[in-house]
Amino acid sequence: MIKNKLKEIWGQGKPSINGWLSVGNPFTAEIMAAQGYDSICIDIQHGALDYSDVLPMFQAMRASGITLLARVPWLEPGIIMKALDAGAYGVVCPMVNTAEQAAEFVSYMRYPPLGQRSFGPTRANFSAGTNYAQEANGEMLAFAMVETAEAMENLDAIAATPGLDGIYVGPADLTFSLAQGRLAPAFDREEPEMIEALKKIVAACKKNNIRSALHCGTPEYAVRAIEWGFNMTTVSGDSRLLAAAAADSVTKFKKLVGHLSTQAAETKGAY
C-alpha cells in the first residue's frame, strides 16, 4: 500500500502545510493540488459540494501524489467510511466533544479488530495500491475537531483516546463557543485567552504523542502556530484565495486606470 506521506513528514520532525477545498470542482482541485501542499482536505461539511463531487476531485488530485483528506459533515459512520473508500488517507471529524465520541469516531476509521469499519474500499483498492485491507489501519489518520467549550473541558480525555491520530482546531467555532458569542468567529486569533487555549491543545497532543493541526488565515499566523508546536497548519482555502487574488487584481487595475485618468486630466489642463 502507498504510505501516508504526512506520517513520513512528521516522523522526520517537520511541520506540514495543508490545503483546503470548498469548491466542488475537479479542475480547481487539480490546480490546488499542483501548488506544493503536503496534503489537501476536501470540506464536505461546509463546502459547496457533496460526495458526488468528492470522488472526481480525489481522482483529479491523484497525480500530485500528496496526501488526500476529507472533513466529513458530522460524526456519522456512513460518510466517514465512504470518504475512506473513495481514497481519503485521513478524516477530520467536526464537533467531537467527549472521549466517548472520539472513541466512536476512531472505531469507524479502523477495520476489525481495531474498529468497526465496513469493508468495501471501492476506489481505494485501486488508488492506494496493493494490500489495502492488511495495511489501511496503520495508514489512515483520524483527526477529531476540538471546537467547543465542552471539548476543551474534556480535552485531556479526548487526546488520550486510543487510536486517535490528532486534534484539528477550528478556531472560528472554538472562539464562538468559548467566548459565548462575545467574540466574532474568525481565524488567526490574537486574544490572549484564545492563544492560551491553542497552546493548551498543543500541550495535550504532545502529552499523548498525537498531532495537532490548526486552520489559519495567513502564512504568517501559520508560522506562529508551528512555533507554538502545531504539526500541521491549513492556510486559507480555495474560495478565499480565489476571492483575494481576484480582488487584488481588480484593485490594482482600478488604481492604475485612475492614475491614467489623472494624468490625462493634468495633460489636458496644460493646453
Side-chain angles (χ1 to χ4, degrees), residues 4-16 38 231:
N4 193 319
K5 292 185 179 179
L6 280 182
K7 289 194 170 188
E8 294 178 356
I9 292 171
W10 297 333
Q12 296 168 6
K14 300 177 181 178
S16 66
D38 297 310
N231 304 105

Side-chain angles (χ1 to χ4, degrees), residues 240-258:
R240 290 174 179 267
L241 291 168
L242 173 61
D248 181 63
S249 178
V250 171
T251 299
K252 287 181 179 178
F253 171 82
K254 289 186 176 181
K255 183 178 180 180
L256 292 171
V257 168

Side-chain angles (χ1 to χ4, degrees), residues 19-190:
W20 197 260
L21 302 180
S22 58
V23 177
N25 186 279
F27 185 38
T28 54
E30 185 178 31
I31 292 171
M32 285 285 285
Q35 303 313 311
Y37 293 100
D38 297 310
S39 60
I40 283 188
C41 183
I42 299 179
D43 185 6
I44 313 174
Q45 183 189 19
H46 290 303
L49 53 88
D50 57 26
Y51 178 79
S52 62
D53 300 300
V54 172
L55 186 60
M57 289 168 73
F58 275 159
Q59 291 173 311
M61 293 189 287
R62 182 182 182 182
S64 69
I66 63 176
T67 300
L68 303 180
L69 313 172
R71 177 166 75 169
V72 295
W74 213 252
L75 178 56
E76 191 278 312
I79 190 59
I80 291 172
M81 296 182 195
K82 282 182 74 68
L84 294 174
D85 292 343
Y89 263 64
V91 169
V92 178
C93 185
M95 297 293 180
V96 175
N97 295 320
T98 67
E100 291 75 18
Q101 290 174 342
E104 181 183 355
F105 167 49
V106 169
S107 76
Y108 300 149
M109 294 286 298
R110 316 290 184 209
Y111 290 128
L114 301 181
Q116 55 178 322
R117 179 183 172 190
S118 175
F119 188 75
T122 307
R123 176 174 179 269
N125 249 340
F126 302 95
S127 63
T130 58
N131 298 321
Y132 186 85
Q134 293 78 17
E135 300 178 31
N137 279 352
E139 298 299 329
M140 300 299 105
L141 291 168
F143 271 97
M145 291 196 76
V146 166
E147 47 188 345
T148 66
E150 182 184 4
M152 286 300 295
E153 291 176 0
N154 297 314
L155 176 61
D156 289 335
I158 291 172
T161 302
L164 188 69
D165 295 290
I167 288 176
Y168 191 105
V169 184
D173 273 315
L174 183 61
T175 301
F176 218 19
S177 182
L178 286 179
Q180 294 293 291
R182 176 172 51 84
L183 298 173
F187 301 143
D188 299 1
R189 310 308 308 195
E190 294 293 350

